[in-house]
């Protein structure tokens, strides 16, 4: 592709079949792109600096269909993502040192994000509406704008 965009570049043919990739599944169109990319960079740096990174990667690597009942044990070994804004705030509070390290995010910014997440007061929302399709639909119509 480089040669297509820059015709004076010499041709090259690299085997990239063994390259690792990164996939972002959680952000949507409502994400602050600057905070998102800065956070991803912090996460990468944090992973590179971890002393037990290879052990953690091996522990969390998934090579089976975790939605198949036959792999329920593997699914149960994995940590779950936060299920509410309040739970996300709790996680951010625990990990804030990694985000504040080297001044990427200020303590004031992290405090603001935590306060905003907690203001949704949604810790039990999933449980509260699980049998209420009308309320679920109302919340989707009110908040789901980026799908």
């Amino acid at each position: 592709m480089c040669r297509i965009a820059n015709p004076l570049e010499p041709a090259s043919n690299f085997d990239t079949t063994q390259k690792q990739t990164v996939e972002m599944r959680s952000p949507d169109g409502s994400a602050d792109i600057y905070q998102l990319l800065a956070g991803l960079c912090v996460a990468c740096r944090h992973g590179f600096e971890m002393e037990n990174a290879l052990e953690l990667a091996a522990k969390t690597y998934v090579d089976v269909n975790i939605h198949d009942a036959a792999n329920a044990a593997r699914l149960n070994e994995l940590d779950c993502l936060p299920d509410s804004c309040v739970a996300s705030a709790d996680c951010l509070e625990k990990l804030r040192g990694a985000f504040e390290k080297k001044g990427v995010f200020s303590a004031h910014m992290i405090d603001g994000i935590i306060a905003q997440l907690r203001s949704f007061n949604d810790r039990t929302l999933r449980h509260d509406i699980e049998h209420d399709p009308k309320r679920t639909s109302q919340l989707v119509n009110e908040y789901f704008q980026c799908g």
Side-chain angles (χ1 to χ4, degrees), residues 126-141:
R126 284 174 170 255
H127 173 72
D128 297 346
I129 66 168
E130 69 184 338
H131 300 296
D132 188 346
K134 185 176 179 182
R135 179 72 175 129
T136 301
S137 181
Q138 178 188 10
L139 288 169
V140 168
N141 289 333

Side-chain angles (χ1 to χ4, degrees), residues 6-147:
N6 303 289
L8 297 179
E9 284 292 313
S12 60
N13 187 15
F14 297 104
D15 178 11
T16 59
T17 58
Q18 296 300 314
K19 295 266 184 185
Q20 291 292 316
T21 61
V22 173
E23 183 176 346
M24 299 182 292
R25 290 185 174 202
S26 55
D28 64 24
S30 69
D32 178 316
I33 191 68
Y34 302 104
Q35 289 181 15
L36 173 64
L37 291 177
L40 287 170
C41 290
V42 166
C44 290
R45 187 192 69 224
H46 180 69
F48 288 135
E49 293 175 347
M50 290 176 67
E51 291 188 19
N52 66 334
L54 293 177
E55 292 83 12
L56 181 61
K59 178 183 171 194
T60 57
Y61 185 74
V62 176
D63 59 354
V64 297
N65 178 356
I66 57 173
H67 303 291
D68 185 333
N71 300 314
R74 179 68 183 117
L75 177 61
N76 290 333
E77 295 171 352
L78 301 170
D79 290 334
C80 293
L81 291 172
D83 63 351
S84 67
C85 292
V86 175
S88 294
D90 295 343
C91 288
L92 177 57
E93 193 165 49
K94 289 177 190 170
L95 299 170
R96 69 182 300 153
F99 292 96
E100 294 172 4
K101 187 176 180 179
K102 299 185 187 267
V104 175
F105 290 89
S106 70
H108 184 70
M109 179 180 264
I110 297 295
D111 288 341
I113 294 169
I114 289 171
Q116 181 185 26
L117 289 168
R118 289 202 170 126
S119 74
F120 289 103
N121 195 27
D122 63 348
R123 187 177 301 277
T124 63
L125 181 62
R126 284 174 170 255
H127 173 72
D128 297 346
I129 66 168
E130 69 184 338
H131 300 296
D132 188 346
K134 185 176 179 182
R135 179 72 175 129
T136 301
S137 181
Q138 178 188 10
L139 288 169
V140 168
N141 289 333
E142 185 174 350
Y143 292 106
F144 190 73
Q145 304 151 5
C146 307

